[in-house]
């Protein structure tokens, strides 16, 4: 008999399938020829000295493609997999009343004097599931909670990011943008008719943003074409020590999928509720 795949695993598998489609859609957006690529390099004359400048310029918005919708589907299934996992930890009669808690570290502690309404509500939400699962599961869930949010959090917690982005997607289109390219292969025609190839790169761990000036242009050269993989990001409402948090969409989904599949699921599977009160 074929084993029944738990719904939280099926959700993760679905997210992985969306991830494959997402990569294909981004590749399609990136184009294969100069005419199909979503950017070009434009020549401009700037400043008082009338300096000739070449700048990267995006000509086509990713908003008009399937990329935002496919990314949203992948993220929805990631978040939904956690809720299905939470439902598997409690008796069937309680499954509709629990959600996977993504709150803040310390939410399981008693309320303190002067605490705001939102934090008190969060503690109540925590108790909704904590009282219905095995103590070992509650302990594991407690360890998964993100630290209290701070204005300059160095690295936003993966589950906090997932929760915020999935909340955005419930109310509006996912904020997906083509933010630049990772590196730009360039071709120039020289005054003598020859062809010269070049490479524009950003500093380590960065990328070439839209409107970036292209440096080291050969003297008298004429731009022919450029190629580089577009950097597709999700704009979040969060900030870290470096400013606004923009997430490379493929990397974010890939890493979050790995975290849930390799760490969250194995940590909670031993405490799944079985019919008749038996748990594996």
């Amino acid at each position: 008999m074929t084993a029944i795949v738990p719904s939280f695993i099926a959700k993760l598998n679905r997210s992985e399938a969306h991830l494959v489609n997402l990569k294909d859609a981004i590749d399609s957006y990136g184009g294969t020829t100069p005419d199909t690529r979503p950017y070009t390099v434009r020549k401009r004359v700037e400043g008082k000295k009338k300096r000739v400048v070449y700048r990267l310029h995006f000509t086509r918005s990713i908003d008009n493609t399937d990329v935002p919708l496919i990314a949203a589907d992948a993220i929805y299934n990631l978040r939904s997999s956690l809720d299905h996992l939470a439902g598997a930890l409690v008796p069937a009669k309680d499954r509709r009343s629990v959600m996977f808690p993504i709150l803040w570290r310390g939410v399981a502690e008693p309320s303190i004097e002067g605490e705001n309404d939102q934090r008190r509500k969060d503690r109540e939400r925590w108790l909704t599931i904590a009282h219905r699962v095995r103590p070992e599961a509650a302990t594991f869930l407690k360890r998964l909670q993100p630290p209290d949010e701070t204005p300059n959090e160095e690295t936003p917690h993966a589950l906090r990011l997932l929760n915020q982005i999935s909340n955005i997607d419930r109310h509006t289109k996912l904020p997906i943008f083509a933010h630049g390219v990772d590196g730009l292969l360039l071709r120039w025609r020289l005054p003598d008719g020859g062809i010269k190839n070049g490479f524009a790169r950003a500093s380590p761990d960065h990328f070439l943003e839209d409107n970036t000036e292209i440096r080291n242009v050969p003297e008298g050269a004429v731009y022919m074409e450029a190629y580089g993989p577009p950097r597709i990001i999700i704009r979040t409402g969060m900030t870290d020590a470096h400013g606004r948090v923009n997430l490379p969409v493929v990397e974010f989904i890939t890493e979050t999928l790995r975290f849930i599949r390799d760490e969250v699921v194995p940590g909670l599977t031993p405490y799944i509720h079985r019919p008749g009160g038996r748990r594996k």
Side-chain angles (χ1 to χ4, degrees):
M1 179 181 292
T2 303
I4 297 175
V5 177
S7 62
F8 55 87
I9 296 296
K11 288 282 186 178
L12 292 177
N13 292 343
R14 189 62 181 163
S15 182
E16 188 169 34
H18 285 309
L19 181 59
V20 173
N21 294 335
L22 177 64
K23 292 176 181 177
D24 289 343
I26 290 175
D27 286 344
S28 178
Y29 170 75
T32 57
T33 65
D35 291 340
T36 59
R37 288 173 193 142
Y39 53 79
T40 187
V41 173
R42 289 183 175 173
K43 179 180 178 180
R44 298 171 57 178
V45 177
E46 299 182 357
K48 294 181 179 180
K49 295 184 178 181
K50 305 297 182 183
R51 186 170 63 98
V52 174
V53 174
Y54 286 89
R55 292 188 182 275
L56 175 67
H57 178 74
F58 271 77
T59 57
R60 184 156 49 90
S61 171
I62 201 165
D63 198 49
N64 296 321
T65 71
D66 288 337
V67 169
L69 298 176
I70 298 172
D73 287 342
I75 289 166
Y76 167 80
N77 279 288
L78 288 176
R79 184 64 181 90
S80 181
S81 74
L82 293 176
D83 289 333
H84 280 238
L85 178 56
L89 297 172
V90 303
K93 66 181 179 63
D94 294 327
R95 286 177 184 168
R96 292 180 179 271
S97 61
V98 298
M99 293 181 64
F100 192 96
I102 302 178
L103 301 165
W104 38 274
R105 206 160 293 163
V107 70
E109 305 301 324
S111 182
I112 61 176
E113 186 178 353
E115 197 164 47
N116 64 41
D117 289 342
Q118 183 58 56
R119 288 175 77 89
R120 286 196 295 271
K121 289 178 182 178
D122 286 347
R123 294 190 195 276
E124 292 171 4
R125 289 173 59 197
W126 166 260
L127 292 176
T128 299
I129 187 168
H131 286 171
R132 290 173 167 82
V133 302
R134 287 176 56 174
E136 301 93 333
T139 297
F140 188 85
L141 288 169
K142 200 183 302 183
R143 290 200 301 268
L144 285 177
Q145 298 310 301
D148 278 2
E149 191 170 2
T150 57
N152 292 314
E153 192 174 9
E154 184 63 30
T155 305
H157 193 279
L159 293 183
R160 175 176 288 148
L161 286 169
L162 175 62
N163 200 49
Q164 190 213 57
I165 293 168
S166 63
N167 285 339
I168 291 172
D169 181 58
R170 287 191 183 100
H171 304 287
T172 187
K173 196 171 184 179
L174 203 64
I176 298 281
F177 293 87
H179 210 43
V181 294
D182 287 314
L184 207 60
L185 297 172
L186 296 148
R187 178 167 291 184
W188 306 92
R189 185 177 299 280
L190 302 177
D192 62 4
I195 304 298
K196 183 175 178 63
N197 294 324
F199 182 63
R201 71 179 72 197
S203 56
D205 300 323
H206 289 75
F207 53 93
L208 299 171
E209 297 183 44
D210 188 21
N211 204 40
T212 296
E213 180 179 352
I214 306 301
R215 306 283 186 175
N216 301 318
V217 178
E219 184 69 29
V222 176
Y223 168 73
M224 294 179 64
E225 63 175 311
Y227 173 70
R231 171 67 69 96
I232 309 303
I233 59 97
I234 306 172
R235 286 184 182 167
T236 77
M238 292 185 177
T239 60
D240 62 13
H242 308 290
R244 174 182 284 184
V245 176
N246 292 322
L247 302 173
V249 61
V250 169
E251 290 87 342
F252 169 70
I253 293 171
T254 300
E255 292 169 7
T256 306
L257 174 63
R258 182 208 58 77
F259 174 64
I260 295 172
R261 177 173 282 165
D262 296 349
E263 299 186 39
V264 178
V265 169
L268 289 171
T269 298
Y271 314 119
I272 287 176
H273 190 273
R274 301 296 178 183
R278 292 179 288 109
R279 295 178 174 91
K280 184 177 178 181

